[in-house]
Amino acid sequence: MTRQLASPGSRTPMARLTAATVVGNAIEFYDFNVYGTLTAVVFGRLFFSAEDPVLGTFLAFTTFAVGFLARPIGGIVFGHFGDRIGRKPMLVASLLTMGIATMLMGLLPTYAQVGALAPVLLVLLRFVQGLGIGGEWGGAITLMMESAPERRRGIFGSAVQTGSGLGIMLSTGVVTLLFVLLTPEQIDAWGWRIPLLFSVVLVAVGLIIRSKIEESPAFREREAVAAPPRVPVFETLRKHWRMVLVAIGMYISVAAFGFTQGVFFVSYLVNQMQIAPATATLANLVAAAGYLLATLLGGWLSDRIGRTRAYLVGAVLILIAPFLMFGIGATGSVPLILAVMPVVGALGGVAYGAQAALFFELFPARVRYTGISLGFQIAAVLGGGLTPLIAASLTEATGTTTSVSIYLGALTALMIVCTLVAPRVIRREAAHEPSAVREPVEGSAV
């Protein structure tokens, strides 16, 4: 196959399209995850309870979950217009939504300054953040996959997925640097605002890059021959509700492990193992580096051995990851934690890399933005948003993190079952509606 420099039917070079989706995705995940990192080490005492650190952290994790509850709503709203008027405009809108909310978060007064109004405003802006990121992933994946060469969808899709890893690394790196350069008093007084206000610069860069890409050629071709769905979410839930449920089950474990490692484990190291916040966030940073590399490996594998097989390989690796992570965390050995966390991150990254192309092939083009957004974002609520809270509750109730690893193992078993069931659901839907054409799920029986 000759190297394709531009997406089919479009003048946008694939390199520019990849940059636009990766950079935008990275910025949105930076904004969303910098909140998560600050929640683990700062927000509990600044916005909730300085007298009771455990209660403050618990309440902060509750507001962390609020952003996830907004994600399916964002997926529906942005998916509605993305399936009706185009992918590109919604990617610009989601980036603006996220950036404005994060900037305003950096300007908020704390509990000591305005009392109960502070957490109320924080929760409101966290909800807006959730709306923004709810529309990002589905749009970025749909635009990239509809433009990429068919046999290389896996690697191009995993490139988009690296945006989240880059965003996590950037947010964690910025927070870690602050803890190195500033005193705890300076962090509490004003330093925590810096990573949030830095979003203004990132969003400006993202908007410039995204303004230079064109609409998906597949969307333009569909627009020329058929009217768009009047209400995409209704059509998706009426005709493809089984696939939405399967997609939720396929992703929930990936999300749960990612946010257990990225949020709860950081809090565990700081509050339970008495490890310095800068060291704990550094452990998260090196884990994100391993996750990033494994994401590309997962995309490459999905092109080589098929989407389903690559995703199942990733599921098996996720079964191992939490036991390894909490095992090295319980030692309290900083050198060991920093040495092993890249491996832990890599174990969680393979499935995420294979996911983009796989999810793209689960839904027909007519409602693809909405369909993959619903599956991904509802799973993010159940798996990602609630998991730090569930993990904290399980650890408090049982006195051990083994209960958290078992919980993640149960979610991974569900992931495996749903991945194996997906080809059958596609065949069932195709039999009832042959016009709902979608790409084959490579590596499956379809």
Side-chain angles (χ1 to χ4, degrees):
M1 176 184 291
T2 58
R3 184 169 178 234
Q4 186 167 336
L5 299 179
S7 54
S10 169
R11 293 189 301 274
T12 304
M14 286 303 300
R16 184 185 301 169
L17 182 60
T18 302
T21 51
V22 172
V23 171
N25 210 21
I27 293 168
E28 294 229 25
F29 273 88
Y30 167 88
D31 286 352
F32 200 71
N33 285 281
V34 77
Y35 180 97
T37 306
L38 292 173
T39 294
V41 295
V42 174
F43 279 174
R45 62 179 178 271
L46 289 183
F47 284 89
F48 297 97
S49 175
E51 292 77 19
D52 187 343
V54 175
L55 175 62
T57 300
F58 185 84
L59 293 174
F61 280 154
T62 302
T63 66
F64 176 78
V66 167
F68 283 84
L69 295 176
R71 287 174 67 161
I73 300 173
I76 291 171
V77 173
F78 286 96
H80 174 88
F81 292 104
D83 281 328
R84 284 186 59 81
I85 67 175
R87 307 353 182 161
K88 177 186 171 180
M90 293 304 100
L91 288 180
V92 173
S94 68
L95 188 60
L96 276 173
T97 301
M98 174 65 78
I100 292 171
T102 305
M103 178 196 69
L104 292 176
M105 200 176 280
L107 299 174
L108 283 179
T110 64
Y111 188 91
Q113 294 168 321
V114 297
L117 180 61
V120 170
L121 293 174
L122 183 67
V123 169
L124 176 62
L125 291 176
R126 181 59 175 172
F127 187 85
V128 177
Q129 273 193 329
L131 294 177
I133 205 167
E136 166 66 24
W137 187 83
I141 293 300
T142 301
L143 181 61
M144 174 60 84
M145 295 292 93
E146 289 181 343
S147 304
E150 182 178 349
R151 294 183 178 274
R152 298 175 65 192
R153 283 189 187 132
I155 192 63
F156 276 111
S158 66
V160 179
Q161 299 288 70
T162 63
S164 61
L166 291 170
I168 293 169
M169 291 178 67
L170 182 59
S171 62
T172 307
V174 170
V175 174
T176 301
L177 184 62
L178 288 178
F179 277 108
V180 171
L181 298 178
L182 302 178
T183 66
E185 293 74 21
Q186 289 173 321
I187 292 287
D188 284 2
W190 51 268
W192 64 272
R193 300 181 187 276
I194 294 175
L196 297 167
L197 296 175
F198 182 55
S199 172
V200 175
V201 177
L202 297 178
V203 170
V205 172
L207 289 175
I208 291 171
I209 294 175
R210 285 194 167 175
S211 69
K212 298 181 183 299
I213 62 173
E214 296 183 6
E215 184 54 78
S216 154
F219 178 82
R220 292 187 309 192
E221 291 169 6
R222 193 211 72 189
E223 191 177 36
V225 299
R230 293 186 61 184
V231 184
V233 66
F234 290 166
E235 182 170 323
T236 302
L237 295 178
R238 186 176 71 254
K239 297 181 179 180
H240 309 289
W241 62 270
R242 293 179 182 85
M243 186 53 74
V244 171
L245 292 177
V246 167
I248 293 169
M250 290 171 69
Y251 180 59
I252 190 171
S253 175
V254 181
F257 173 71
F259 284 95
T260 299
Q261 179 252 299
V263 178
F264 175 76
F265 187 65
V266 173
S267 177
Y268 168 78
L269 292 178
V270 173
N271 296 318
Q272 302 297 321
M273 302 307 300
Q274 305 303 311
I275 290 175
T279 304
T281 55
L282 179 59
N284 195 27
L285 180 62
V286 297
Y291 193 87
L292 185 69
L293 295 175
T295 296
L296 292 171
L297 173 62
W300 177 81
L301 276 177
S302 78
D303 283 335
R304 298 284 294 182
I305 66 175
R307 320 298 185 208
T308 304
R309 295 188 187 99
Y311 205 60
L312 290 172
V313 169
V316 172
L317 296 177
I318 290 177
L319 281 172
I320 303 169
F323 292 96
L324 177 62
M325 178 177 69
F326 287 118
I328 58 106
T331 68
S333 169
V334 172
L336 180 62
I337 291 170
L338 295 179
V340 176
M341 283 308 291
V343 178
V344 172
L347 291 175
V350 172
Y352 192 61
Q355 181 193 14
L358 176 58
F359 268 46
F360 171 82
E361 295 170 356
L362 295 181
F363 294 92
R366 181 174 171 84
V367 293
R368 181 171 287 142
Y369 195 151
T370 300
I372 65 175
S373 293
L374 280 175
F376 183 88
Q377 301 302 348
I378 293 174
V381 174
L382 301 176
L386 297 179
T387 291
L389 191 59
I390 292 172
S393 300
L394 286 172
T395 304
E396 181 72 17
T398 64
T400 174
T401 57
T402 302
S403 57
V404 181
S405 299
I406 293 172
Y407 170 70
L408 294 174
L411 295 182
T412 306
L414 175 64
M415 171 186 174
I416 292 171
V417 170
C418 289
T419 302
L420 293 172
V421 166
R424 183 178 302 174
V425 176
I426 290 178
R427 286 196 298 268
R428 179 189 178 100
E429 291 185 356
H432 286 81
E433 188 184 8
S435 60
V437 179
R438 68 196 82 187
E439 304 296 332
V441 179
E442 296 183 15
S444 72
V446 176

